[in-house]
Amino acid sequence: MDYIELVRGMLFSPVETFQKVKTADLGDALKYFLILVLINTVLSVIISLVVLSSMWVVYSSIYESLGIVVPATIGAGMVAIAILMIFGSIFILFIAAAWLHLWVYILGGRKGYIETLKAIAYGATPELLIGWIPFIGFIGSIWSFILTILGVRELQEMSTGKAAAAAIIAVVVLAIIIILVAAFLFIAYMEMMQVPMNLY
C-alpha cells in the first residue's frame, strides 16, 4: 500500500485501512508519520512566513535601529523551528503512545505498545494534513482523535467502548494533571511575590 493510498484510506475508509496496516511494522508507521510531519512542518513554516511578512512593515524599523538583519534572523529561526517541530513530533508520538497504552492495557488491550503507537501515527493523518490551517486546524485534531479510537479498536482488538474510554481517560487525566501543575505553579508564584511585600 503506497502512502497516497494510505492517506486516502485513513481519511475515507479508516476501519478497512487500519485492518490492512495490522501487518505493518514500526518502521512502516514511522516512515508514514514522518512524511506527514514533514509536509505539516513545511506548510506551517510557510504560513508563519506569510504572517511574519505582514508584520514586517510594523517591526522592520525597530529591528533595523537595533542593527538586526531581520530576514536572516527570521530565516534561521524558521529553520530551527522546523527542526524542532520534526524531532518534537516524533518524541511526542512515542510519549503519547506510552501514555495512551497505559490506559489501553488497563482496559484489556494486550496486542502491545507498538500497535497503540501505530494507531496514533496513522490516526494523526487529518491533524497533520490540515492542522496547519488557521482557524480550522482544530477540525483535524478532532478527526484524528476519532481515528485514533478506531485504530486502537482495530489494532488492539478491543470494543469501541473500551477504545474510546482509554482515549478519553488519557486526555482527561492528562488535562487534570496539567491544570493541577499550573495551579501549583501559580500559587507558588503568588506566594513568592508576596514575600517582598511583607518585608515592608
Side-chain angles (χ1 to χ4, degrees):
M1 184 181 296
D2 60 35
Y3 294 122
I4 295 178
E5 185 181 350
L6 265 177
V7 169
R8 187 183 300 113
M10 283 297 161
L11 295 178
F12 302 111
S13 54
V15 174
E16 293 81 357
T17 306
F18 273 119
Q19 291 173 351
K20 291 178 181 178
V21 299
K22 281 186 176 182
T23 57
D25 58 22
L26 176 61
D28 295 328
L30 289 179
K31 288 177 186 176
Y32 176 81
F33 182 77
L34 183 58
I35 289 173
L36 293 186
V37 166
L38 289 172
I39 294 173
N40 177 272
T41 299
V42 170
L43 295 175
S44 296
V45 168
I46 291 174
I47 287 294
S48 298
L49 288 174
V50 170
V51 173
L52 288 173
S53 64
S54 66
M55 299 168 60
W56 166 257
V57 177
V58 178
Y59 293 102
S60 60
S61 59
I62 299 175
Y63 285 118
E64 289 174 0
S65 66
L66 296 173
I68 300 175
V69 182
V70 178
T73 304
I74 292 177
M78 288 296 102
V79 171
I81 290 173
I83 294 173
L84 287 174
M85 286 178 65
I86 294 170
F87 285 98
S89 296
I90 296 173
F91 176 76
I92 291 173
L93 171 64
F94 281 92
I95 298 300
W99 176 247
L100 175 58
H101 187 66
L102 169 65
W103 304 104
V104 168
Y105 188 86
I106 290 174
L107 292 176
R110 293 294 186 270
K111 295 300 180 179
Y113 165 77
I114 299 301
E115 297 306 308
T116 302
L117 187 147
K118 285 164 56 179
I120 296 177
Y122 289 115
T125 300
E127 182 174 5
L128 293 174
L129 287 180
I130 67 174
W132 57 274
I133 304 176
F135 307 113
I136 67 171
F138 71 94
I139 296 175
S141 299
I142 297 173
W143 194 350
S144 286
F145 182 73
I146 295 172
L147 289 188
T148 298
I149 293 174
L150 294 177
V152 169
R153 184 189 72 182
E154 297 300 322
L155 299 179
Q156 291 288 350
E157 298 180 3
M158 302 172 68
S159 67
T160 303
K162 288 185 177 180
I168 293 171
I169 291 172
V171 171
V172 171
V173 172
L174 180 60
I176 292 173
I177 292 173
I178 292 174
I179 291 172
L180 291 176
V181 171
F184 173 79
L185 293 176
F186 177 75
I187 294 172
Y189 173 76
M190 293 302 294
E191 290 180 349
M192 289 176 60
M193 293 296 292
Q194 290 175 1
V195 171
M197 296 176 62
N198 294 333
L199 294 177
Y200 295 98

